[in-house]
């Protein structure tokens, strides 16, 4: 069963075919989901489920503590998407502010958190580049277009 009551609101946890690395939280209350993502309200979309009309996509480890015991096999995998295509992607990762020390006993180099947005058309090359440059990088569908003014990579044909 993946339908839960949290703070008096129903919450359904599923996996969508287009986001295999994320879980989708479906809820009655948009404000509850907006408050759950540090990136802001652009993370929340409408869902195609009229009884739970709002959705948020997160990594399973980011679920509230009450859901940490939830096994992956207990989260239903949907055959069809329940949310629309995002307008862009948000990424979050860590960048070392200096190269790691050769000596493993030395204190690790400090890291800085890096976040940003990627246009849909640029996601392929950007994902590869960011995975090479950042540690613990995650990608999240975003439902407010935050890419206006970003440089656009030219694609050769």
């Amino acid at each position: 069963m993946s339908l839960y009551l949290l703070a008096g609101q129903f919450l359904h946890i599923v996996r969508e075919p287009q986001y295999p690395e994320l879980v989708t939280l479906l809820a009655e209350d948009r404000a509850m989901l907006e408050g759950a993502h540090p990136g802001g309200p652009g993370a929340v979309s409408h869902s195609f489920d009229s009884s739970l009309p709002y959705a948020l996509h997160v990594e399973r480890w980011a679920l509230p503590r009450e859901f940490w015991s939830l096994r992956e096999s207990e989260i239903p995998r949907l055959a069809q998407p329940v949310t629309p295509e995002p307008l862009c992607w948000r990424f979050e990762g860590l960048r070392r502010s200096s190269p790691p020390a050769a000596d493993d006993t030395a204190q690790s180099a400090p890291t800085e958190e890096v976040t940003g947005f990627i246009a849909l058309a640029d996601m392929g090359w950007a994902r590869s580049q960011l995975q090479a440059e950042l540690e613990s990088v995650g990608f999240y569908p975003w439902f407010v277009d935050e890419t206006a003014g970003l440089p656009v990579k030219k694609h050769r044909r």
Side-chain angles (χ1 to χ4, degrees), residues 67-97:
F67 300 102
W68 287 0
S69 64
L70 187 62
R71 291 185 296 255
E72 194 165 327
S73 62
E74 297 173 323
I75 303 172
R77 292 185 182 273
L78 303 178
Q80 299 294 320
V82 72
T83 57
E85 184 176 17
L87 298 176
C88 63
W89 287 83
R90 182 176 196 268
F91 69 89
E92 301 173 358
L94 298 174
R95 176 180 290 138
R96 290 202 181 279
S97 56

Side-chain angles (χ1 to χ4, degrees), residues 54-67:
Y54 303 104
L56 174 68
H57 304 86
V58 297
E59 292 178 277
R60 193 166 72 87
W61 60 262
L63 292 172
R65 180 180 297 271
E66 296 84 1
F67 300 102

Side-chain angles (χ1 to χ4, degrees), residues 55 102-103 145 152:
D103 181 6
D145 189 359
V152 177

